[in-house]
Amino acid sequence: MLKHKGFPGRLTGTDFQFTIRRASKTGATKLAARERYADRRPADRRADTGFMKALWDYFGDQPFERGNLDAGRLSWLFEREVLPAQDPFDPEDYEALLVIDEARARAAFPDAFEEQSA
């Protein structure tokens, strides 16, 4: 399992996990699109935005290996803002390639793409 060095492990000041420490002995957790309902808690929305920002800052528009990225957190974005980058795609493979759909991600998470002023 590829570890993305420098990628944030969690949303700052929270317990919302972005990465895992080690590969599971039983294999990677399957990625599956999760429905994001309009009544989700504000903290969950901030976690989604923070994760998208981290993905964009780290990978940009380039395909990336799933590696140690948390399957639960990825599943909130999977098949919408984060798409499979290979065919066939194995949702239970740590080496599976993903890519950000920039247009959809910018529409769903505009705050994740705002430039920080110094």
Side-chain angles (χ1 to χ4, degrees):
M1 173 183 76
L2 173 68
K3 291 193 176 187
H4 299 293
K5 302 289 183 189
F7 194 90
R10 61 186 60 246
L11 182 62
T12 305
T14 71
D15 286 332
F16 288 106
Q17 181 173 309
F18 289 174
T19 61
I20 58 175
R21 292 183 183 173
R22 65 189 68 80
S24 170
K25 293 177 184 173
T26 59
T29 300
K30 183 177 181 177
L31 293 179
R34 290 183 175 177
E35 189 65 36
R36 290 193 314 256
Y37 295 102
D39 64 349
R40 286 186 75 209
R41 296 179 317 153
D44 292 323
R45 292 175 189 222
R46 282 192 304 275
D48 291 343
T49 300
F51 188 59
M52 176 51 68
K53 178 168 180 35
L55 288 172
W56 184 254
D57 289 348
Y58 199 88
F59 301 112
D61 61 356
Q62 298 303 305
F64 58 93
E65 193 171 310
R66 171 185 174 176
N68 70 328
L69 299 175
D70 182 69
R73 186 58 48 203
L74 268 172
S75 290
W76 288 110
L77 308 176
F78 187 61
E79 293 185 350
R80 285 180 297 273
E81 297 84 14
V82 175
L83 302 171
Q86 64 190 99
D87 188 26
F89 179 78
D90 182 357
E92 297 182 60
D93 185 1
Y94 287 119
E95 295 179 1
L97 293 179
L98 301 163
V99 67
I100 296 172
D101 182 333
E102 184 178 353
R104 289 182 79 178
R106 284 184 182 273
F109 301 104
D111 294 346
F113 294 89
E114 289 181 0
E115 295 296 321
Q116 294 200 351
S117 56

